[in-house]
Amino acid sequence: MSTQTDKKFTGNPREPVPVPLSRANELDIRQVLDSEGNVNGNISDPNLSEEEMRKFYEMMMLVRAIDDRGWKLQRSGRIAFWIPILGQEAVQVAVTCALDDHDWIFRAHRELAVWLLRGNSLEMMFAQFYGAEQEPLRGRRLPCLIGSRDINLISSTTQVGASLPHAVGAAWAAKLKGGKEKVLIFFGDGSASRGEFHSAMNFAGIHQPPVIMVCVNNGWAVTTPLDRQTAVDNFASKGDSYGVRNVRVDGNDPLALYTVTKDAHDNIEKYGPTLIEAVTFRLGYHTSSDNPDLYRHEQECELWRPWDPIRRTRLYMENKGWWDQSKEDALITLHQDEIQTAVTSAEAMDIPGPASQFDDVFAETNWMLEEQKARILSEVSEGSSDD
Amino acid sequence: MTKMTVLEALNAAMAHELEHDPDVVLLGEDIGIAGGIFRTTQGLQNRFGKDRVIDTPLDEKGIAAHAVGMALYGMKPVVEIQFSGFIHDCIEQVMFCGAKYRWVLGGEYSVPMTIRAPSFGGIMGGIWHSHSPESYFAHGSGIKIIAPNTPQDAYSMLIAAIRDPDPVLVLEPVPLYRTLRGEVDVDLPVPEIGKAEIKRPGADVTALVYGPLTHKTVEVAESLSKEKNIDVEVIDLKSLIPFDIDTIISSVEKTGKLVIIHEASQTMGFGAEIAASVQSKAFGYLEAPIDRVCAPDVPHSYRVGDEFYIPNKDRIRAGIIKTMEAVY
């Protein structure tokens, strides 16, 4: 995992700010675990079973291993782009596990775990990274933006935050049509500055649809820190302005995340919508096109390392006697093998041909598209001649 | 057959769809009790309830965006934007979310939403109440654009839009809302989006138009026939995306001359696309340069915009005569 974070300071970053998770009570952040994995927080341990905790832990580990491999695939030129997850594994795993499988999830950019937790394959996930014709989005979206109707996972709009009202609208429609589904959306701290955040919160407050909005506050919107994103010290309280219930939670504490999300989900008829602010930290780059050396001091990452969600969860499980080094070693080997199989499978898949980009513009094509398609197909060979 | 104004026809179309399809909902500012500022939805909230005819906050982008989400889930939202001069805040949501979701989600979802945009000038409304927004929406993909200008088309084409599985932008003819009354046959089949209509057959020159200017253009054609013996074929385009290339090309092959008339400003106006298409498909038939009679590239003035910004009958007439005289 060192590849994303071993860097020398080259820019002019601000002074590191203390980790808010170390002041959870003062900052009204729901927390179960301290930095050493002890149950020492301000809400009680949900006492998940060993099996459930292993599922959490193994999925966080798998996501970290995928992240590491994806980064290397991008750096070695095999895929065009990567969106790192390092440090944010807990939110996507614990939140997804608190929902029912029929609930809709609108993604932000980093939630790869949903795909696997809902039973889709690692092979097809890597197929998406490679832009294969066989994957559900047909190679149209950048690597990491996976989604599929069969698991009710909607790929993100790249205009961050633009899909917030889509989640509220879908939940509203479910309510009007008497559907059982609830809707959850992940979005980032930067997205909260967009007009759609206001629109979504405003409509959600008025119409009370079954929606949960999870602000994954990772401290940085590309290069912009929180104090340049908003003048207040948290995102949850913005819900008060709209009549939307809100809660802050330790975004690196899967037990607290699970508790808070499950409560919002199971009591949605009583609570209405909930805005959850999950306080976490992006240890890695924003994307493979980023360079944190220019704006962030490595010391800030060092402050967050004890709060790493995987470390804390492992300590918790070791304290319970559920985990040890031999299990850890076996898991790492297993994941490496599974990922290698998926990479090999994805590299053997087809890339989309030029005609497929004309599909799905409309339900039925029209003469304008057909004419453009016929011309392109008559003028190009399969594969670009510009290579 | 019933006589209706354009406004009554739009209202009847929405009432019909609300009655027959439980997935149809209307959203907009002030559309409930008052029936919208134009009264297009008058009476519908009383009849269908506040969950089907929904008064929204004053937030055009938010209205469009929530409709996208509702449509993704499987409803058929019909959005009213109060004036199309206010629609530009919705461009990202309509064009880069709603109109793209089918494609970006691999064809697994559709967004069957309708955006009703009261458009065009003629009510002394000034810049933001006299707008023709079609070009902003045409330069993209995944959305259809229609412009009905009679009570029958308003009724039939709005129903077609609501039933369409993709987003449809409906440019409604504000100046004709209450001034044009005509027969509406509610039993006619729902028309296919993408068909033009020859409003007046003619042999000498083709005048291609859409929206309220269609009626002025037919009047000009009648007077040119009597006064100058020029036989103008007037085509009402009715649908911009997709547009009916076959009807246009057949006409140009017959007349050899084309004048395109619209009230959106000239540069990058929809006429440019028509002209480019026609010259590539019927170059050998053209006997004169294709002309465009459009608004200038300036904003619409409150006091004189309706007279001099929107092409008036003098300008339409001049454009047709100029084209007739320009024959090679």
Side-chain angles (χ1 to χ4, degrees):
Chain A
M1 283 326 301
S2 58
T3 37
Q4 289 178 32
T5 52
D6 281 355
K7 52 188 181 265
K8 287 179 191 152
F9 159 65
T10 58
N12 185 27
R14 60 168 191 175
E15 283 301 304
V17 293
V19 176
L21 303 184
S22 63
R23 301 188 292 143
N25 292 341
E26 181 190 338
L27 297 174
D28 198 20
I29 297 172
R30 307 286 191 281
Q31 193 172 60
V32 173
L33 301 176
D34 66 17
S35 63
E36 300 311 303
N38 301 306
V39 177
N40 195 20
N42 49 33
I43 59 172
S44 52
D45 184 351
N47 288 315
L48 298 178
S49 67
E50 179 179 355
E51 187 189 358
E52 287 169 311
M53 282 312 298
R54 282 182 67 130
K55 180 179 168 188
F56 277 30
Y57 184 71
E58 290 176 8
M59 185 54 69
M60 289 197 290
M61 286 287 284
L62 179 54
V63 166
R64 187 161 288 190
I66 293 166
D67 189 25
D68 186 49
R69 188 59 182 269
W71 179 261
K72 288 169 180 159
L73 290 173
Q74 194 280 334
R75 280 301 190 249
S76 59
R78 302 189 80 80
I79 62 176
F81 188 64
W82 189 252
I83 308 176
I85 302 166
L86 187 64
Q88 297 179 220
E89 296 86 353
V91 186
Q92 50 191 284
V93 172
V95 166
T96 304
C97 288
L99 305 182
D100 297 323
D101 280 351
H102 65 233
D103 294 330
W104 283 33
I105 295 180
F106 285 75
R107 292 192 47 196
H109 289 356
R110 306 183 202 275
E111 294 78 19
L112 295 183
V114 184
W115 179 272
L116 300 165
L117 287 167
R118 291 194 165 176
N120 276 7
S121 73
L122 204 56
E123 281 79 6
M124 210 45 86
M125 175 184 278
F126 274 80
Q128 195 278 335
F129 303 160
Y130 278 82
E133 172 64 23
Q134 289 92 332
E135 64 95 10
L137 307 182
R138 307 186 68 186
R140 291 172 183 163
R141 304 302 310 281
L142 289 172
C144 303
L145 303 181
I146 51 172
S148 180
R149 182 154 201 152
D150 65 349
I151 53 167
N152 303 309
L153 175 65
I154 299 189
S155 177
S156 62
T157 53
T158 305
Q159 318 95 302
V160 295
S163 53
L164 272 160
H166 307 161
V168 174
W172 189 7
K175 182 181 177 185
L176 291 171
K177 278 170 74 80
K180 286 182 302 205
E181 305 92 338
K182 301 169 181 67
V183 180
L184 183 138
I185 180 163
F186 294 102
F187 65 103
D189 39 280
S191 299
S193 295
R194 284 187 57 119
E196 283 92 344
F197 173 80
H198 159 73
S199 294
M201 296 293 290
N202 195 33
F203 277 66
I206 294 166
H207 292 285
Q208 298 287 303
V211 67
I212 300 168
M213 295 170 277
V214 181
C215 178
V216 184
N217 172 5
N218 70 8
W220 292 88
V222 194
T223 73
T224 306
L226 293 179
D227 62 0
R228 294 286 148 178
Q229 203 67 247
T230 180
V232 297
D233 65 0
N234 75 93
F235 290 93
S237 67
K238 291 173 189 278
D240 292 338
S241 313
Y242 299 96
V244 172
R245 177 180 179 269
N246 54 85
V247 59
R248 281 190 109 187
V249 60
D250 181 336
N252 287 3
D253 178 345
L255 299 173
L257 283 160
Y258 180 82
T259 303
V260 162
T261 310
K262 188 105 173 74
D263 181 43
H265 175 270
D266 292 356
N267 294 297
I268 210 158
E269 289 192 10
K270 184 166 86 185
Y271 295 157
T274 296
L275 169 64
I276 296 174
E277 178 190 352
V279 181
T280 180
F281 189 76
R282 192 191 83 215
L283 283 169
Y285 290 36
H286 167 65
T287 69
S288 53
S289 308
D290 183 30
N291 178 10
D293 295 6
L294 297 173
Y295 57 87
R296 189 172 73 184
H297 208 291
E298 177 62 23
Q299 196 187 336
E300 188 165 339
C301 298
E302 291 307 321
L303 291 175
W304 276 86
R305 284 192 200 284
W307 296 92
D308 179 300
I310 290 182
R311 176 179 176 275
R312 290 163 79 192
T313 309
R314 180 166 57 229
L315 290 170
Y316 173 83
M317 292 181 63
E318 284 173 359
N319 288 343
K320 292 260 190 188
W322 293 344
W323 201 254
D324 56 32
Q325 192 60 44
S326 69
K327 289 190 172 108
E328 181 89 355
D329 294 342
L331 185 68
I332 289 169
T333 304
L334 173 70
H335 286 163
Q336 292 307 322
D337 291 348
E338 288 175 346
I339 288 169
Q340 185 54 47
T341 304
V343 168
T344 306
S345 158
E347 292 199 339
M349 289 187 185
D350 305 322
I351 59 165
S356 79
Q357 65 186 316
F358 290 88
D359 297 343
D360 309 319
V361 177
F362 292 103
E364 285 179 37
T365 186
N366 62 38
W367 73 267
M368 302 161 82
L369 290 172
E370 287 304 301
E371 189 175 282
Q372 293 162 23
K373 178 163 81 173
R375 177 168 178 179
I376 285 178
L377 294 183
S378 74
E379 292 172 350
V380 300
S381 51
E382 295 288 322
S384 172
S385 56
D386 296 342
D387 291 341
Chain B
M1 300 276 270
T2 323
K3 279 218 165 196
M4 295 184 194
T5 61
V6 170
L7 206 67
E8 289 162 349
L10 292 166
N11 183 285
M14 286 185 274
H16 185 274
E17 293 306 285
L18 283 164
E19 188 175 345
H20 291 91
D21 187 343
D23 287 336
V24 173
V25 288
L26 313 186
L27 298 125
E29 296 161 8
D30 311 304
I31 66 169
I33 294 168
I37 55 156
F38 291 110
R39 310 290 180 259
T40 326
T41 54
Q42 197 161 45
L44 298 179
Q45 191 178 66
N46 274 346
R47 191 169 156 200
F48 297 100
K50 288 184 175 178
D51 283 346
R52 310 266 330 265
V53 180
I54 301 166
D55 286 309
T56 66
L58 199 167
D59 177 9
E60 285 82 9
K61 184 205 299 222
I63 300 167
H66 285 83
V68 169
M70 295 174 109
L72 276 177
Y73 186 83
M75 298 195 91
K76 294 174 189 163
V78 181
V79 165
E80 175 177 304
I81 300 299
Q82 204 158 64
F83 274 101
S84 69
F86 312 154
I87 204 171
H88 306 93
D89 196 26
C90 308
I91 286 179
E92 177 172 33
Q93 281 296 329
V94 172
M95 290 309 300
F96 298 97
C97 297
K100 298 296 182 287
Y101 259 139
R102 178 189 295 283
W103 188 88
V104 298
L105 299 178
E108 292 191 318
Y109 293 82
S110 57
V111 181
M113 69 187 287
T114 303
I115 304 109
R116 295 181 37 242
S119 300
F120 307 109
I123 59 166
M124 288 190 75
I127 167 170
W128 282 290
H129 296 144
S130 310
H131 200 69
S132 298
E134 59 269 27
S135 286
Y136 302 107
F137 292 89
H139 186 68
S141 50
I143 187 169
K144 298 175 184 178
I145 305 173
I146 59 175
N149 67 66
T150 66
Q152 181 69 60
D153 283 348
Y155 181 84
S156 301
M157 292 173 74
L158 180 55
I159 288 181
I162 294 171
R163 294 184 189 177
D164 197 276
D166 289 303
V168 182
L169 174 66
V170 186
L171 306 176
E172 294 183 357
V174 167
L176 306 179
Y177 268 164
R178 292 170 183 278
T179 59
L180 186 64
R181 181 179 290 273
E183 296 286 349
V184 174
D185 182 350
V186 297
D187 297 321
L188 282 182
V190 176
E192 180 186 344
I193 291 175
K195 293 295 175 199
E197 180 182 342
I198 297 172
K199 287 291 198 187
R200 182 191 187 281
D204 296 338
V205 55
T206 302
L208 182 74
V209 63
Y210 54 90
L213 286 183
T214 306
H215 301 280
K216 281 190 194 173
T217 304
V218 171
E219 287 174 39
V220 169
E222 294 300 341
S223 68
L224 281 173
S225 170
K226 292 191 191 91
E227 293 160 25
K228 297 211 170 246
N229 202 28
I230 297 172
D231 192 15
V232 184
E233 176 148 297
V234 180
I235 299 176
D236 176 7
L237 193 59
K238 298 212 288 196
S239 169
L240 282 68
I241 302 289
F243 63 94
D244 185 349
I245 190 69
D246 294 340
T247 297
I248 300 168
I249 295 299
S250 298
S251 179
V252 171
E253 286 177 358
K254 179 172 67 179
T255 64
K257 295 171 274 301
L258 176 62
V259 180
I260 302 160
I261 300 139
H262 59 61
E263 53 181 280
S265 55
Q266 178 170 305
T267 302
M268 295 296 286
F270 199 71
E273 181 59 35
I274 301 281
S277 294
V278 170
Q279 64 82 25
S280 77
K281 292 174 191 300
F283 185 71
Y285 291 90
L286 288 170
E287 298 166 0
I290 298 170
D291 194 26
R292 288 182 288 165
V293 180
C294 313
D297 293 348
V298 299
H300 184 287
S301 154
Y302 151 65
R303 186 61 189 87
V304 298
D306 288 352
E307 294 163 70
F308 301 115
Y309 176 86
I310 300 170
N312 59 20
K313 283 194 255 186
D314 289 342
R315 290 189 54 215
I316 296 169
R317 180 185 168 93
I320 293 171
I321 292 172
K322 177 182 142 196
T323 301
M324 288 298 295
E325 290 171 349
V327 171
Y328 293 122

